[in-house]
């Protein structure tokens, strides 16, 4: 009987809090947006070179967004959810 009550009263313990998961999803969105911005710029004809692969968006913006997203992920993991 004592074990049954203990299992009913046991509260599940999660590693991360609500704040952590919110920041993780924000980081994942930044990473996904960076990879989406990085895509494209190819050519249908292999004999024709397309200069669009060297655009500012693919060379500077998209990798910066991916790195910012990874930084947000690290912040979300290290964030203390109990601290106010």
């Amino acid at each position: 009987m004592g074990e049954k009550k203990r299992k009913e009263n046991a509260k599940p313990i999660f590693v991360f809090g609500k704040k952590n998961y919110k920041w993780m999803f924000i980081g994942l969105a930044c990473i996904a947006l960076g990879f989406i911005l990085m895509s494209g710029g190819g050519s249908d004809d292999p004999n024709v070179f397309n200069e669009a692969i060297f655009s500012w968006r693919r060379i500077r913006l998209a990798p910066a967004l991916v790195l910012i997203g990874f930084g947000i992920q690290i912040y979300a993991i290290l964030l203390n959810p109990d601290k106010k």
Side-chain angles (χ1 to χ4, degrees):
M1 202 50 126
E3 178 143 355
K4 189 175 184 182
K5 280 188 178 181
R6 188 183 61 162
K7 284 186 179 179
E8 288 175 0
N9 293 336
K11 184 179 175 186
I13 300 172
F14 294 105
V15 176
F16 298 121
K18 189 176 180 180
K19 270 169 74 173
N20 296 86
Y21 286 116
K22 180 183 80 168
W23 282 104
M24 281 185 189
F25 287 126
I26 291 171
L28 283 175
C30 282
I31 293 169
L33 181 64
F35 278 113
I36 289 169
L37 290 175
M38 211 179 298
S39 67
S43 178
D44 295 333
D45 185 12
N47 296 325
V48 177
F49 182 73
N50 190 356
E51 291 286 331
I53 62 170
F54 296 119
S55 69
W56 182 84
R57 184 187 78 189
R58 289 186 183 92
I59 297 294
R60 304 283 173 150
L61 181 64
L65 272 175
V66 171
L67 290 176
I68 289 169
F70 283 129
I72 292 172
Q73 289 292 333
I74 292 169
Y75 173 74
I77 291 170
L78 297 177
L79 181 65
N80 187 358
D82 298 330
K83 189 176 180 183
K84 296 197 180 202

